[in-house]
Amino acid sequence: MALKIRLQRHGASHRPFYRMVVTEALARRDGRFVEVLGTYEPQAKRPEDELSVKLDRVDYWKSVGAKPTDTAASLIRKARREAPAEAETAEA
C-alpha cells in the first residue's frame, strides 16, 4: 500500500478550501483517506488562518513511507518556516 500526502479540495466555486490528508496513492482525490494532517485556505481573511499543519504527524507519516505531492511538500516547507515565528510570539 503506497501512501501519499496530498490535498483534498472542499469549499464552494471560486472559494477553495483544502485539507491535507494521508491517503492511498490509488484513492480518488476527494475519496477515502487515512488521517487529516491540516488545512489550507488560500483566500483566508487573516494570514494566520491560511495554513494549519500538524508537523509532528507529517514527520511520522513521512517516516513510515508516505510521499508528499509537490504542492503538499511546498506547504509543509511553508508551515515549518512559520512554526519558529509562532513559537517566538508565544514566548513573548
Side-chain angles (χ1 to χ4, degrees):
M1 170 173 73
L3 294 174
K4 288 269 189 191
I5 299 174
R6 66 182 181 202
L7 299 178
Q8 280 187 341
R9 190 183 195 283
H10 295 276
S13 298
H14 307 292
R15 186 87 173 129
F17 177 82
Y18 298 94
R19 286 184 185 162
M20 186 178 295
V21 297
V22 176
T23 185
E24 292 183 29
L26 298 178
R28 294 181 299 173
R29 180 192 71 179
D30 298 335
R32 187 183 316 179
F33 59 90
V34 178
E35 181 180 352
V36 176
L37 299 177
T39 60
Y40 172 57
E41 187 174 358
Q43 297 178 356
K45 301 256 188 265
R46 297 183 300 166
E48 52 273 3
D49 294 339
E50 183 178 342
L51 181 62
S52 162
V53 179
K54 299 175 196 167
L55 294 174
D56 58 329
R57 296 304 295 165
V58 170
D59 293 337
Y60 167 76
W61 284 109
K62 286 175 79 173
S63 73
V64 295
K67 302 278 188 206
T69 61
D70 294 340
T71 305
S74 70
L75 290 173
I76 291 168
R77 282 193 301 272
K78 182 177 179 181
R80 287 193 197 284
R81 283 194 306 266
E82 292 175 355
E86 291 174 3
E88 291 173 6
T89 58
E91 293 174 1

